[in-house]
């Protein structure tokens, strides 16, 4: 590239950047956050920052004064000192003193941060490529939290969707982690595949989710609100696309949410058994409890929701909804065209399983295998039937097979 | 003054190296087979700047994708392999060979040795590198793409790499072999070939810092080699060193890696300290303040670098006692580092300074490296590090210490010594333009990254929320401008290499004292075949001593 075309490129880029600039905020500092720990951490951060500023003023002040006053034109004859034990001892001891003064409060905060005793409830967080699973150990609740559909669509290369039109672009999920305020919540953190890190700046909580390890951390949120963060440890292709969203609610709202979640699930199961209700009603019943505390959570409406089970579906229906499910849940690894990313993620196009035995195909999707995530807990029977039908007929896998929700139900 | 003897007792009829005039094949064979420290120094430097260019292009791909929210240019996998490759190329291909190049050229000249102690090993050490990096870069075209798990190569993620993995590991082995041979050579040379009257505590600081760096290299490169070999066996030979399911431990890799990685950080900065400690006294016309404490500070930094590694992994879930230990040990490093900065400023204090290009870069180094040091001190505070870790704040921090730190020092060193190497002065005007553009745009590039990092932007992500957009586009503009500004440097240096420009004197700089300035400019192909008696130019002798040389190719100055 010649210098001229590069300059053109740069100025083009600049114009492009300016146009989007108006939308963005100029946040320059660490958030104070909404927990006692986060406020302490912010305090430490500001303290060490001002200590650095003070040292900087003295050191750079001396340096720039010297650059100005001791240049040859002003100071033609150099002095000839080149050591002074006293001065050197002084400027070894003073920094030492400053460091000790810093270390004491830092150690105090660190010890408080790591003190996971006396917690009121526990949530187990499991990292997956590329989503989080939240399991409430004291309640029978467990679900996955994935990048919301709108962001997910907009973030594709050449999607043509302006991220500025997506609310909370890349910082929204389908199912948020709902926590009560004022309770000391313990997190148990692990991973199912590679190392991830769970980070919410407003809570000053960041810790690695390591496969085979369980890490502990805790938080106690003071104010209701929605707090957003992201996976902080490089975890592969979609590392930038697995946000963490915490919704802190009052204890009553939390209890209602829990009741909805656990009760709602039983209701849904009952409905499934009867399979009589009209589709709409059942969709609402299953979706509402999840939504209740997350009133403005638009994404949930688009997230997959339970539909009446066991109904026969046409191949076209299955293929259409299968494609959607595939693009949302599978394409990250197996790629949009089914070609995979070998050797880590096998191709489904022409694969032995996707064109061979149906039972094996259903089994691997339901129960997972090695790095392949189990989807039995994430997707319902229709979705699974649809995506498997889709995989068996798309990209030239023309098996002609139709897998019905009932088959999935039977295989569970 | 009795001079440093470069009189050659050798019988080669035309006294100089083979040049292109003797034909292409002999010329190429000379460079391939050369064992001359000056030739190899030149090769190393050319290689390093080629790698800086390649790594720089990768960083521009990264910055271009991050210019705006949304994915515009590359896929996330390719983005990840760019961040990974950028780091590997810059660290192992740019900065380290850059310093080895300067050591090759300058260590023998500074200590009065005829060459490095092991010239053939030196040749081998260099010629491994082009193969290693061709191999590394070729993995970008392999099935599954290049390595994309970050230069830290953490398992289990790294084990998902495609066909590239064994090639990357092999390339790292080659780089390690090259570094270790270079380090052994430097140590043996410094300990054995100094001019008789040059005691250890009279060595120039660049020599000291390189001596210590070389020991660090020998200590830690094998550790890296071990770590990546374990990855190889985990992937291909059924071991489970780092796989929890097989009884292994993914965190152990991080401990091993950073046991290499933290000293590595100092491998990338100690020679820079040496260069700056050489340049500042020259242009302040005043001896280095606190020479002894500089040496001790360097040694204590090197020692401390072995006991702080886990500060790179505060969030991994260590026991509190471990976190406290690594926090305190890390904070301690600020003390000797502070001593160095204070000494540089005390050297400038009441000197008689002029600001030729090398001095500008050296002063820029002191200022900007110290900013990187401040953010380093902040990162040492473990509770605050839980917020900073793996965010753009860290990216800003290490680029401040590596670009206006290590890279500026290499540039400063090249400006400072190139008149000695080529016999002509670079263009001072363009040197200054280069400095100011670099100094401005490096800050435009990296300063805003502190802000987005504190505001919550993780590192190694290809796309981000609009709240980070402003600082990101500024950073991208800065990166392109900084990159373009480097062409001024390249052209300036090529001009010297083409021997166009004002002839340099032997002493070159009014305040220069080291042995390297006692040989003619350009330095003859063979120097100090007989060890010199004097080890520096005394204060009162302001003109150099070239008259007594017959420069080897009959060339004589003034
Ligand atoms: Cu992740």
């Amino acid at each position: 590239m010649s210098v001229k075309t590069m300059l053109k490129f740069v100025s083009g880029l600049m114009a492009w950047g300016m146009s989007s600039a108006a939308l963005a905020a100029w946040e320059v500092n660490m958030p104070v956050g909404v927990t006692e720990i986060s406020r302490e951490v912010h305090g430490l951060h500001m303290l060490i920052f001002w200590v650095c500023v003070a040292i900087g003023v003295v050191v750079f002040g001396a340096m720039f004064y010297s650059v100005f006053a001791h240049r040859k034109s002003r100071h033609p004859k150099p002095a000839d000192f080149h050591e002074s034990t006293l001065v050197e001892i002084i400027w070894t001891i003073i920094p030492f003193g400053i460091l000790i003064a810093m270390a004491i409060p830092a150690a105090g905060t660190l010890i408080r941060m790591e003190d996971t005793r006396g917690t009121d409830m526990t949530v187990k967080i499991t990292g997956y490529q590329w989503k989080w699973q939240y399991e409430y150990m004291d309640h029978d609740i467990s679900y996955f939290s994935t990048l919301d559909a709108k962001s997910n669509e907009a973030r594709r290369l050449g999607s043509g969707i302006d991220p500025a039109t997506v609310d909370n672009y890349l910082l929204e999920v389908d199912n948020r982690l709902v926590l009560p305020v004022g309770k000391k919540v313990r997190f148990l953190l692990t991973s199912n595949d590679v190392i991830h890190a769970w980070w919410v700046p407003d809570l000053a909580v960041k810790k690695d989710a390591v496969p085979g390890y369980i890490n502990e951390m805790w938080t106690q949120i003071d104010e209701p609100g929605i707090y957003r963060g992201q996976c902080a440890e490089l975890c592969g292709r979609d590392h930038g696309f697995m946000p963490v969203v915490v919704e802190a609610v009052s204890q009553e709202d939390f209890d209602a949410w829990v009741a909805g979640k656990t009760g709602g699930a039983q209701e849904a199961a009952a409905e499934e058994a009867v399979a009589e209700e009209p589709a709409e009603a059942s969709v609402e019943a299953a979706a509402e409890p999840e939504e209740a505390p997350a009133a403005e959570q638009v994404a949930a409406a688009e997230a997959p929701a339970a539909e009446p089970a066991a109904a026969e579906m046409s191949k076209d229906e299955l293929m259409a909804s299968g494609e959607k499910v595939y693009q949302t849940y599978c394409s990250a690894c197996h790629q949009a065209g089914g070609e995979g990313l070998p050797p880590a993620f096998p191709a489904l196009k022409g694969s032995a399983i996707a064109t061979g035995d149906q039972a094996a195909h259903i089994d691997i999707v339901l129960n997972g295998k090695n790095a392949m995530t189990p989807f039995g807990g994430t997707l319902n029977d229709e979705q699974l039937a649809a995506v498997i039908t889709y995989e068996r007929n798309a990209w030239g896998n023309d098996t002609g097979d139709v897998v019905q929700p009932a088959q999935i139900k039977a295989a569970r | 003054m009795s001079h440093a003897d470069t009189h050659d007792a050798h019988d080669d009829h035309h006294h100089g190296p083979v040049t292109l005039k003797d034909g292409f094949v002999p010329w190429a064979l000379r460079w391939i087979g050369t064992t001359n420290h000056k030739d190899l120094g030149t090769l190393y430097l050319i290689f390093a700047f080629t790698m800086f260019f390649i790594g720089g292009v990768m960083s521009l791909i990264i910055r271009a994708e991050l210019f705006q929210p949304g994915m515009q240019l590359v896929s996330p996998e390719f983005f990840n392999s760019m961040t990974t490759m950028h780091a590997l190329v810059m660290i192992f291909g740019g900065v380290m060979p850059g310093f080895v190049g300067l050591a090759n050229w300058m260590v023998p000249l500074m200590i009065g040795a005829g060459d490095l102690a092991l010239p053939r090993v030196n040749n081998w050490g260099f010629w491994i590198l082009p193969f290693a990096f061709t191999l590394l870069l070729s993995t970008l075209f392999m099935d599954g793409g290049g390595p994309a798990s970050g230069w830290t190569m953490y398992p289990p993620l790294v084990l998902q790499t495609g066909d590239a993995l064994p090639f990357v590991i092999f390339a790292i082995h080659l780089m390690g072999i090259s570094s270790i041979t270079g380090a052994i050579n430097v140590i043996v040379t410094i300990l054995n070939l100094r001019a008789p009257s040059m005691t250890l505590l009279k060595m120039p600081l660049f020599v000291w810092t390189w001596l210590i760096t070389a020991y660090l290299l020998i200590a830690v490169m094998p550790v890296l080699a071990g770590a990546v070999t374990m990855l190889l066996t985990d992937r291909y030979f059924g071991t489970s060193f780092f796989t929890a399911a097989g009884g292994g431990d993914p965190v152990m890799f991080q401990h091993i890696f950073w046991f290499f990685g933290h000293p590595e950080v100092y491998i990338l900065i100690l020679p820079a300290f040496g260069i700056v400690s050489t340049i500042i006294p020259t242009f302040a016309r005043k001896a280095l303040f606190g020479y002894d404490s500089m040496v001790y500070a360097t040694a204590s930094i090197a020692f401390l670098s072995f006991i702080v590694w886990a500060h790179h992994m505060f969030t991994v879930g260590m026991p509190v006692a471990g976190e406290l230990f690594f926090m305190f040990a890390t904070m301690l490093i600020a003390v000797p580092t502070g001593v160095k900065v204070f000494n540089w400023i005390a050297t400038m204090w009441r000197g008689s300074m002029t600001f030729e290009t090398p001095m500008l870069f050296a002063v820029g180094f002191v200022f900007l490296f110290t900013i990187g040091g401040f953010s380093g001190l902040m990162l040492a505070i473990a509770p605050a590090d839980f917020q900073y870790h793996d965010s753009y704040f860290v990216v800003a921090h290490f680029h401040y210490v590596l670009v206006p730190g290590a890279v500026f020092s290499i540039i400063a060193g090249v400006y400072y010594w190139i008149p000695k190497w080529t016999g002509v002065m670079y263009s001072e005007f363009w040197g200054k333009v280069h400095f100011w553009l670099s100094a401005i745009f490096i800050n435009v590039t990296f300063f805003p990254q502190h802000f987005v990092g504190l505001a919550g932007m993780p590192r190694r992500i290809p796309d981000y929320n609009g709240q980070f957009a402003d600082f990101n586009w500024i950073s991208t503009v800065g990166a392109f401008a900084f990159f373009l500004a480097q062409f001024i440097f390249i052209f300036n240096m090529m001009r010297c290499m083409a021997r166009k420009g004002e002839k340099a004197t032997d002493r070159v700089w009014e305040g220069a004292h080291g042995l390297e300035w006692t040989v003619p400019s350009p330095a003859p192909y063979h120097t100090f075949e007989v060890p010199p008696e004097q080890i520096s130019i005394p204060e009162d002798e302001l003109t150099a001593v070239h008259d007594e040389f017959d420069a080897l190719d009959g060339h004589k100055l003034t």
Side-chain angles (χ1 to χ4, degrees):
Chain A
M1 216 188 295
S2 77
V3 173
K4 217 164 143 197
T5 49
M6 277 185 113
L7 280 174
K8 244 164 103 185
F9 181 53
V10 172
S11 60
L13 283 174
M14 265 171 97
W16 184 18
M18 302 279 192
S19 61
S20 71
L23 293 163
W26 294 88
E27 185 54 64
V28 296
N29 203 357
M30 182 190 286
V32 179
V34 291
T35 68
E36 192 169 330
I37 290 289
S38 77
R39 284 188 290 272
E40 268 185 45
V41 167
H42 181 265
L44 277 174
H45 159 69
M46 291 315 290
L47 175 65
I48 183 80
F49 171 72
W50 286 116
V51 166
C52 289
V53 169
I55 300 173
V57 167
V58 174
V59 172
F60 297 146
M63 184 172 111
F64 285 116
Y65 173 77
S66 180
V67 164
F68 170 76
H70 305 146
R71 51 178 61 229
K72 200 177 179 193
S73 52
R74 292 176 175 271
H75 196 255
K77 198 166 161 29
D80 67 356
F81 65 88
H82 57 81
E83 63 193 343
S84 157
T85 312
L86 179 68
V87 173
E88 291 178 59
I89 289 177
I90 291 176
W91 70 38
T92 309
I93 290 186
I94 291 181
F96 209 78
I98 297 176
L99 289 177
I100 292 177
M102 271 311 306
I104 292 169
T109 303
L110 186 62
I111 289 168
R112 278 188 290 283
M113 283 176 113
E114 299 289 353
D115 181 1
T116 46
R117 286 171 303 177
T119 48
D120 300 309
M121 61 180 275
T122 302
V123 178
K124 181 171 170 222
I125 304 175
T126 310
Y128 285 78
Q129 279 176 321
W130 291 277
K131 60 190 168 204
W132 298 100
Q133 184 185 19
Y134 299 119
E135 290 170 81
Y136 291 72
M137 309 299 272
D138 316 274
H139 313 95
D140 190 19
I141 301 177
S142 159
Y143 56 89
F144 284 90
S145 175
T146 320
L147 181 67
D148 78 303
K150 279 196 173 163
S151 294
N152 197 27
E153 216 177 307
R155 62 102 174 178
R156 308 228 162 249
L157 187 59
S159 68
I161 303 172
D162 180 358
T165 63
V166 179
D167 288 338
N168 295 309
Y169 178 58
L170 300 186
L171 294 179
E172 187 57 280
V173 291
D174 50 2
N175 303 305
R176 297 169 178 161
L177 174 65
V178 180
L179 296 176
V181 295
K183 286 279 149 67
K184 186 166 180 179
V185 182
R186 180 169 73 135
F187 298 114
L188 297 177
L189 191 58
T190 186
S191 166
N192 184 54
D193 36 51
V194 302
I195 302 175
H196 303 264
W198 198 85
W199 180 27
V200 181
D202 278 311
L203 312 186
V205 166
K206 179 190 288 142
K207 199 150 252 178
D208 293 357
V210 184
Y213 266 71
I214 295 203
N215 272 332
E216 248 188 325
M217 56 186 183
W218 66 276
T219 191
Q220 178 165 345
I221 306 173
D222 294 341
E223 293 161 35
I226 294 169
Y227 306 110
R228 299 173 194 280
Q230 281 174 273
C231 174
E233 178 66 50
L234 178 62
C235 56
R237 181 192 143 91
D238 282 353
H239 162 57
F241 308 104
M242 51 182 292
V244 174
V245 184
V246 174
E247 179 165 345
V249 298
S250 67
Q251 185 66 45
E252 299 84 76
D253 287 350
F254 180 74
D255 292 339
W257 177 80
V258 169
K261 263 285 191 194
T262 44
Q266 282 154 14
E267 260 170 57
E271 271 161 26
E272 243 175 60
V274 189
E276 217 88 285
E277 296 283 308
E280 258 91 345
S282 144
V283 167
E284 263 176 47
E288 221 168 11
E290 262 188 59
E291 269 218 275
E296 345 106 80
Q297 196 171 336
V298 215
E302 285 171 32
E307 274 173 57
E312 283 277 311
M313 291 169 77
S314 76
K315 186 175 172 197
D316 287 348
E317 270 179 288
L318 286 167
M319 285 297 283
S321 82
E323 179 168 8
K324 274 202 203 112
V325 175
Y326 182 83
Q327 296 303 350
T328 312
Y329 291 93
C330 322
S331 64
C333 296
H334 295 294
Q335 303 296 294
E339 69 276 19
L341 280 175
F345 306 118
L348 298 181
K349 184 174 170 176
S351 97
I353 293 182
T355 56
D357 181 24
Q358 281 191 23
H361 193 168
I362 296 175
D363 178 63
I364 193 169
V365 182
L366 265 182
N367 304 317
K369 183 179 173 196
N370 301 327
M372 163 76 192
T373 332
F375 283 92
T378 323
L379 301 178
N380 63 28
D381 295 348
E382 285 72 32
Q383 289 171 316
L384 287 167
V387 74
I388 293 170
T389 306
Y390 176 72
E391 286 176 352
R392 299 185 75 77
N393 293 285
W395 327 296
N397 285 0
D398 300 317
T399 58
D401 292 350
V402 176
V403 176
Q404 288 295 345
Q407 284 168 270
I408 306 289
K409 204 168 154 60
R412 277 189 192 266
Chain B
M1 160 184 168
S2 76
H3 61 84
D5 198 339
T6 65
H7 256 305
D8 50 331
H10 81 126
D11 34 47
D12 186 355
H13 66 281
H14 84 37
H15 288 309
V18 178
T19 66
L20 255 186
K21 286 192 204 95
D22 304 307
F24 177 77
V25 173
W27 174 81
L29 287 177
R30 162 204 165 183
W31 286 103
I32 291 169
T34 185
T35 55
N36 180 290
H37 74 101
K38 301 185 181 82
D39 280 356
L40 284 158
T42 306
L43 286 174
Y44 265 112
L45 285 165
I46 291 173
F47 179 81
F49 282 100
T50 310
M51 288 296 139
F52 279 138
F53 176 80
I54 294 174
V57 170
M58 292 174 174
S59 73
L60 294 188
I61 294 174
I62 295 170
R63 284 309 330 163
E65 178 57 57
L66 290 173
F67 182 62
Q68 255 206 329
M71 299 296 297
Q72 286 90 18
L73 303 173
V74 297
S75 67
E77 310 88 294
F78 188 72
F79 182 91
N80 289 345
S81 62
M82 282 296 102
T83 54
T84 304
M85 282 286 196
H86 165 71
L88 290 172
V89 166
M90 288 301 204
I91 293 171
F92 294 104
V95 176
M96 290 169 70
F99 283 139
V100 179
L102 292 174
N104 249 284
W105 254 104
M106 299 320 299
V107 165
L109 287 179
M110 287 177 139
I111 64 174
D115 203 316
L116 289 184
L118 311 165
R120 288 192 189 82
V121 172
N122 196 15
N123 171 287
W124 187 49
F126 171 77
W127 280 108
I128 287 177
L129 286 179
F131 293 95
F133 281 87
T134 308
L135 193 60
L136 180 70
L137 293 170
S138 71
T139 62
L140 283 173
F141 305 100
M142 289 178 184
D143 226 13
S149 53
W151 82 284
T152 50
M153 300 175 286
Y154 284 0
L157 181 62
V158 70
L159 301 173
Q160 292 180 357
T161 308
D163 293 352
L165 187 65
F167 298 95
V168 172
I169 290 173
F170 189 53
I172 288 174
H173 279 306
L174 291 178
M175 295 167 205
I177 292 170
S178 166
S179 298
I180 290 174
T181 59
I184 291 175
N185 220 337
V186 165
I187 292 175
V188 176
T189 306
I190 294 174
L191 293 185
N192 293 294
L193 300 186
R194 294 191 313 278
S197 54
M198 185 177 279
T199 57
L200 283 178
L201 278 175
K202 282 188 180 152
M203 294 193 312
L205 223 82
F206 178 67
V207 179
W208 254 117
T209 53
W210 240 114
L211 180 66
I212 293 171
T213 303
Y215 276 107
L216 290 184
L217 277 167
I218 291 183
V220 301
M221 291 310 286
V223 177
L224 175 67
V228 295
T229 306
M230 286 190 263
L231 290 178
L232 191 78
T233 62
D234 267 13
R235 166 81 175 256
Y236 294 103
F237 303 104
T239 59
S240 314
F241 290 111
F242 307 128
T243 322
D249 179 353
V251 176
M252 184 172 74
F253 178 87
Q254 301 186 18
H255 284 289
I256 301 173
F257 180 86
W258 286 112
F259 187 80
F260 144 79
H262 199 79
E264 170 70 17
V265 170
Y266 289 95
I267 289 167
L268 300 175
I269 203 67
L270 292 184
F273 290 167
I275 295 168
V276 169
S277 304
T278 310
I279 291 176
I280 290 180
T282 299
F283 294 93
R285 294 170 179 74
K286 186 162 158 282
L288 182 68
F289 186 89
Y291 171 92
D292 291 5
S293 64
M294 282 301 220
V295 172
Y296 299 135
T298 310
S300 35
I301 290 174
F303 168 74
L304 287 173
S305 77
F306 284 104
I307 57 165
V308 297
W309 75 89
H311 68 213
H312 295 273
M313 19 185 315
F314 276 140
T315 63
V316 86
M318 270 181 288
V320 197
E323 290 177 338
L324 287 172
F325 170 79
F326 286 108
M327 172 166 81
F328 296 148
T330 305
M331 292 170 81
L332 265 188
I333 293 194
V335 175
T337 313
V339 165
K340 290 196 159 273
V341 173
F342 300 144
N343 282 352
W344 289 322
I345 293 171
T347 307
M348 293 160 71
W349 193 257
R350 297 190 42 224
S352 182
M353 280 183 278
T354 50
F355 296 93
E356 287 86 346
T357 309
M359 180 64 164
L360 286 175
F361 274 99
V363 174
F365 171 97
V366 175
F367 180 52
L368 297 172
F369 172 79
T370 305
I371 292 182
F374 285 148
S375 55
L377 185 56
M378 297 173 78
L379 286 159
I381 309 290
D385 181 72
F386 291 145
Q387 291 280 44
Y388 309 138
H389 179 76
D390 268 343
S391 78
Y392 255 85
F393 189 80
V394 176
V395 178
H397 158 72
F398 68 72
H399 280 97
Y400 261 86
V401 291
L402 282 176
V403 187
V407 176
F408 268 27
S409 82
I410 293 175
I411 292 174
V414 171
Y415 274 118
Y416 183 61
W417 284 306
I418 203 160
K420 176 58 63 194
W421 302 338
T422 63
V424 293
M425 294 302 289
Y426 59 85
S427 156
E428 194 60 61
F429 171 78
W430 286 109
K432 286 186 169 145
V433 172
H434 172 222
F435 168 75
W436 284 108
L437 290 176
S438 299
I440 290 167
F441 287 111
I442 205 69
N443 285 293
V444 173
T445 309
F446 293 115
F447 211 78
Q449 296 185 357
H450 292 110
F451 301 143
V452 285
L454 291 175
M457 178 164 162
R459 64 191 282 204
R460 293 166 165 168
I461 58 174
D463 193 6
Y464 49 83
N465 181 273
Q467 80 181 96
F468 307 123
D470 290 333
F471 290 123
N472 267 295
W473 75 253
I474 293 173
S475 186
T476 298
V477 170
F480 276 85
F482 179 82
F483 184 81
L484 292 179
Q486 302 319 304
F487 286 93
I488 300 174
F489 173 68
I490 300 299
F491 288 126
N492 212 342
M493 296 304 110
M494 301 239 256
R495 203 169 135 266
C496 290
M497 286 165 74
R499 308 291 150 105
K500 296 214 177 65
E502 203 185 313
K503 287 252 173 296
T505 62
D506 294 352
R507 183 140 185 202
V508 183
W509 311 110
E510 189 185 35
H513 289 288
L515 261 185
E516 72 264 39
W517 309 107
T518 65
V519 304
S521 300
Y525 201 51
H526 297 284
T527 38
F528 297 124
E529 287 178 305
V530 177
E533 279 154 31
Q534 263 177 303
I535 55 167
S536 73
I537 309 178
E539 298 289 335
D540 50 348
E541 236 173 290
L542 285 174
T543 47
V545 284
H546 54 83
D547 296 349
E548 296 192 38
F549 287 99
D550 314 343
L552 294 175
D553 40 6
H555 150 100
K556 206 164 186 189
L557 284 168
T558 46

